[in-house]
Amino acid sequence: MNSIRAPKFDYIIIGAGPAGMAAAITARTHGLSVLVLDEQLSAGGQIFRNIESLEATRNSEFSKLGQEYEFGSFLVRRFKKCGADYFTDRSVWQIDNNLQIHHVSASASKSNSVISHCQAKRLLIAVGAMERPMPLPGWTIPGVMPCTAVDVLYKSSGLIPDGEVVLAGSGPLLLLIGCRLLDVGVHVSAFLDTSMNGALLKALPLLPNALRSHKYLTRGLSLLWKIRKAGIPFYSGIQNIEALGASKLEKVRIGKSGKFFDVTADLLLLHNGVVPNVQITRNLGCEHRWYDVQRYWEPIVDDWG
Ligand SMILES: Cc1cc2nc3c(=O)[nH]c(=O)nc-3n(C[C@H](O)[C@H](O)[C@H](O)COP(=O)(O)OP(=O)(O)OC[C@H]3O[C@@H](n4cnc5c(N)ncnc54)[C@H](O)[C@@H]3O)c2cc1C
């Protein structure tokens, strides 16, 4: 398999999201040879997915995404000019102990014949996060989707959902995507907040720390305000959700404090936060620990991250 000699790099970065791109720029300013591998077709990661094409061909949609995306576009431009080698459509599937990295075409494209292994002196794994699955009764019915899937469809192809949309779960990304849907004229018929009753009270001791990042707090409040102002029924403390329908979603059954009611829906979007993508660090045999506050496994890292 390794008959062709693997090209060598001082530094190989897996992931061309904001973290990977920023690291590549920094490494290049220190004169290192850098290779960035990413399974997407363009740089930007999850948040800035397809950003170059969005800005060039769907500028009115790009401007709706806000100031952050202008920064994202600037970051991608700097990354593309920094002198790092960059292979798109490459999925890393194996890393040997000597840091030989094996990658394949993520889209299984036959024309993508880039050499499928390379050698790193140092490796940075910047593969980001994945949406946490949110299983509930009926979640396999057509018309029930993870919330970020809608975001991926919108950013990559400009697709927006039809009909009545119900959003359910918790976390800032749910609010953000809910607001984005409102901006593009989607009819959101209910917002079901599954945060536990008393969660705010429990989080109170963390408030002094949170106030240090008041920009995030203000942003979260403004997203909440936008949803409330749009008059969308907002149900908090929801304990039970069931998706109902024969061949596709027809309604969502909602339970709170022992009482149940139904909302008609064509699409139910579920979100319960994101968790680190640990496939590669698991494959490498890195040590992981359980982070109880956010309830996920994370690799143990040193001071350099
Ligand atoms: C679907 C989704 C949508 C999101 N949308 C937003 C949003 O709109 N706004 C927001 O603030 N936050 C969003 N987030 C949260 C997001 O994780 C962060 O905001 C931000 O993108 C993290 O940056 P990052 O560089 O750490 O990782 P990412 O941006 O996730 O970049 C990681 C990159 O690694 C690549 N990769 C992963 N595994 C491999 C592999 N095996 N081989 C090769 N390449 C690989 C991926 O293709 C990706 O481009 C989203 C998260 C998800 C899962």
Side-chain angles (χ1 to χ4, degrees):
M1 173 155 192
N2 297 342
S3 52
I4 304 172
R5 184 129 30 108
K8 282 190 183 153
F9 294 86
D10 293 327
Y11 199 38
I12 293 186
I13 299 171
I14 309 173
M21 289 190 289
I25 295 166
T26 307
R28 286 296 301 147
T29 61
H30 291 283
L32 302 183
S33 62
V34 178
L35 169 66
V36 180
L37 298 165
D38 195 297
E39 54 194 14
Q40 289 193 40
L41 296 175
S42 56
Q46 298 294 6
I47 177 169
F48 303 131
R49 178 181 286 273
N50 198 31
I51 193 167
E52 286 174 292
S53 155
L54 252 174
E55 190 176 17
T57 61
R58 291 156 52 201
N59 198 264
S60 68
E61 291 168 42
F62 172 81
S63 27
K64 276 193 197 139
L65 289 168
Q67 239 183 359
E68 249 173 31
Y69 283 73
E70 275 164 35
F71 171 73
S73 163
F74 168 73
L75 183 63
V76 170
R77 281 198 302 275
R78 277 195 63 201
F79 165 61
K80 296 287 254 326
K81 283 191 196 147
C82 79
D85 282 281
Y86 167 43
F87 294 172
T88 59
D89 187 21
R90 304 310 297 176
S91 193
V92 172
W93 63 276
Q94 162 90 15
I95 301 172
D96 300 340
N97 286 341
N98 65 353
L99 296 190
Q100 176 136 193
I101 294 159
H102 302 267
H103 49 94
V104 290
S105 165
S107 63
S109 145
K110 284 196 184 119
S111 60
N112 191 343
S113 57
V114 178
I115 294 172
S116 64
H117 57 287
C118 46
Q119 180 68 50
K121 279 195 196 152
R122 291 275 186 279
L123 170 68
L124 177 74
I125 302 165
V127 292
M130 302 183 337
E131 193 164 34
R132 187 199 299 273
M134 190 175 158
L136 46 78
W139 73 321
T140 54
I141 296 175
V144 185
M145 278 168 75
C147 183
T148 56
V150 159
D151 194 57
V152 169
L153 289 171
Y154 176 65
K155 287 177 190 163
S156 49
S157 318
L159 292 174
I160 50 173
D162 249 356
E164 305 278 332
V165 178
V166 172
L167 293 150
S170 63
L173 208 47
L174 186 68
L175 294 175
L176 180 73
I177 293 175
C179 288
R180 240 176 234 159
L181 292 178
L182 291 179
D183 284 341
V184 294
V186 169
H187 189 261
V188 178
S189 50
F191 196 107
L192 315 177
D193 179 7
T194 56
S195 320
M196 280 184 293
N197 276 334
L200 270 180
L201 216 62
K202 235 174 119 187
L204 220 59
L206 302 171
L207 186 62
N209 265 346
L211 284 173
R212 265 181 240 137
S213 322
H214 58 88
K215 257 170 62 186
Y216 291 113
L217 279 184
T218 322
R219 178 100 195 272
L221 287 173
S222 72
L223 294 172
L224 261 177
W225 172 241
K226 188 166 178 169
I227 285 169
R228 299 276 192 168
K229 209 171 106 198
I232 295 162
F234 190 99
Y235 302 99
S236 44
I238 295 301
Q239 292 144 344
N240 301 90
I241 300 172
E242 190 175 349
L244 301 170
S247 58
K248 68 179 220 15
L249 181 72
E250 285 158 25
K251 53 192 174 187
V252 181
R253 182 152 296 160
I254 302 157
K256 184 178 174 179
S257 315
K259 294 197 176 116
F260 289 84
F261 60 100
D262 292 348
V263 172
T264 54
D266 300 292
L267 182 64
L268 170 62
L269 297 177
L270 304 173
H271 180 79
N272 208 355
V274 293
V275 297
N277 179 352
V278 292
Q279 285 162 354
I280 290 183
T281 49
R282 288 277 188 207
N283 172 260
L284 275 171
C286 300
E287 230 182 302
H288 290 71
R289 72 172 156 221
W290 176 250
Y291 180 40
D292 203 42
V293 178
Q294 297 274 2
R295 290 179 295 136
Y296 57 57
W297 289 96
E298 60 179 9
I300 298 176
V301 295
D302 62 14
D303 290 346
W304 288 84

